[in-house]
Every structure is written in structure tokens, then in C-alpha cells.
Amino acid sequence: MKRWPAALVLAFGITIGAGGAQSAVAASTHTPACVADASPGHTRRHLPVAEIFVTDNTAVISDPNDPRLRTELNRFACQVRATIRAHGADPDKSSLLDGVFWSGESQSVTYERSREFDVDGLDAAELNHIADVLRKRYDQESVLTFEYLRADSPRADAIEVEVPNVGVQRLHDGLAADPEARERLFGGSVTVRGGKLILVADRADAALVERFVGTLGGDWSSATVHYGDREFVG
């Protein structure tokens, strides 16, 4: 699911040189500050219109102690925010995630640092377009989006499940041991702050998700379930 190169385009877009510092100060008065991790633990008072799950990783990482898994992705967060804003939408809060994903191509489970971005001020077509821009810019196979909808919406064919107190190692081991879960769910994420499991799945797989959460030691009675439209853009 994801792949991208690293071209650092900060919101300022300014090179500091002779007189550059003065220009940066001027530009900063017109550019909103970039708050990279404004939503620790994927918590909010109100749901956004949609989410975009993205990363700058292009490698297969099998070692949970790999130093690449300790990055905060702060500059990357600012880049993505700038891209979302440049395409007319409103980037809101972001959560830093530890992801675990199954690659059918390599037949392996890989770790990955990524970010989730709450996005407002856009419709389904605009969400798809922004995700595709990010996919191409960062050389990803696909980018996951989730548009929040009412449970009775005819377009609400997916669910997002949040479960507290599930570690990334348990998620990794659970996927590695469960062929059905990895083939149907493709993977999942755990918030770096707060340890909250996030699974996005087809609505028809709700029973599978509940079963899988149980095998990970999660408490389904404490799970939060949202309905919406899931898309792997790519």
C-alpha cells in the first residue's frame, strides 16, 4: 500500500540566504504554522469529513528495531499539509502511526511508520484526487482514504475500528499467524501515542475484524466503530 520519494517542500517554500531570513519572517506571517502531531492517539472532539493515511516509506522493513521506525515524520507532515491545502482542502489534525502490512507480492509482513491526516472542506472526488497526487509524488502503490458517512448511507460500505491498548508487535504477530486476516484486512496501524489499534475494512468483514481483535487480546466492548467509504487510491 504506499511508496514515495523525499522532496522536502516546506510550507514556507523559501531558501534562507542573503536576506532570506527576512523573507522567511515575512512569509511566516501569511503561512499557518505546521503542527505535525496535533492529535496524539487519534483523538478528536468531532469527526472530520475524511482521513488520508500516507507514508514516505518505500522499503520492506522486517526488523521492529530498525531505526527508520523511530522517525517522527514531522517535515513530511508539513509537506502533506501543504499539498492538501494547495488543492483546496483543509488539513486538520494528524496522528503518528506504527503500521504493519502484508505484501502479497513478497509474501511477507512489513513494519512502517506513517501518518493519518484528518481532512475537511472536500468531497469524495476531491479526496480521491488529493490521494492520487500524494501517491504519485511519493511513489506509492496506493494511498488509503476513509470518508466518514452515516451508517445508513448507501455508500457506507466500510468500517473503521479503533481499539485501545493493542501494541504493534501483537498486530504484527497476529497478521503473520492469520492468513484470512492478512488477505482481507491487508494490515493495520497502532497510534504511537496512546497505543490505539486502527483497522479499516470492508463492512462485510465486520465479524472477521471482531474475531481478529480478540486474537490480539483487544477488548471488543471498548472498540469504537465508524462507518464510511474506504478506497485504496492507486
Side-chain angles (χ1 to χ4, degrees):
M1 168 183 147
K2 26 220 124 16
R3 308 286 160 238
W4 12 21
L8 299 181
V9 184
L10 296 180
F12 294 160
I14 294 171
T15 301
I16 304 298
Q22 187 174 19
S23 299
V25 171
S28 67
T29 62
H30 299 93
T31 305
C34 179
V35 182
D37 199 19
S39 180
H42 202 243
T43 57
R44 316 106 148 184
R45 290 185 178 179
H46 306 286
L47 290 177
V49 170
E51 302 173 285
I52 301 177
F53 294 83
V54 291
T55 182
D56 65 351
N57 180 60
T58 59
V60 174
I61 302 175
S62 57
D63 179 4
N65 298 311
D66 191 297
R68 288 171 293 184
L69 298 175
R70 294 196 291 270
T71 178
E72 294 286 316
L73 293 178
N74 288 327
R75 288 183 295 179
F76 171 71
C78 294
Q79 294 172 359
V80 173
R81 286 179 181 279
T83 298
I84 293 170
R85 191 175 290 112
H87 285 82
D90 179 21
D92 198 350
K93 297 177 179 180
S94 173
S95 294
L96 183 64
L97 306 175
D98 280 325
V100 178
F101 301 97
W102 168 252
S103 171
E105 182 177 346
S106 64
Q107 292 292 296
S108 62
V109 180
T110 180
Y111 294 95
E112 184 172 274
R113 266 288 167 95
S114 63
R115 277 189 173 276
E116 174 275 336
F117 292 86
D118 290 354
V119 188
D120 288 311
L122 78 176
D123 59 23
E126 291 163 338
L127 176 63
N128 176 280
H129 175 68
I130 291 172
D132 196 47
V133 168
L134 293 171
R135 178 186 67 83
K136 293 174 181 175
R137 179 167 296 175
Y138 296 102
D139 193 25
Q140 298 292 292
E141 292 179 16
S142 65
V143 168
L144 173 63
T145 65
F146 187 81
E147 179 187 1
Y148 288 96
L149 298 168
R150 289 169 51 99
D152 59 359
S153 168
R155 294 180 52 235
D157 58 1
I159 57 173
E160 179 184 73
V161 177
E162 304 174 6
V163 185
N165 304 317
V166 177
V168 68
Q169 191 63 54
R170 274 194 281 166
L171 174 59
H172 173 277
D173 295 347
L175 282 175
D178 192 329
E180 184 182 23
R182 64 183 183 238
E183 293 290 345
R184 303 263 291 274
L185 304 180
F186 308 110
S189 299
V190 175
T191 58
V192 173
R193 300 180 184 177
K196 181 184 294 181
L197 173 69
I198 302 174
L199 297 172
V200 180
D202 284 343
R203 191 167 181 172
D205 288 331
L208 169 65
V209 173
E210 182 175 355
R211 177 187 65 74
F212 183 60
V213 166
T215 67
L216 301 182
D219 179 6
W220 185 255
S221 67
S222 65
T224 301
V225 180
H226 302 293
Y227 296 88
D229 180 59
R230 175 184 76 164
E231 184 176 7
F232 291 99
V233 179

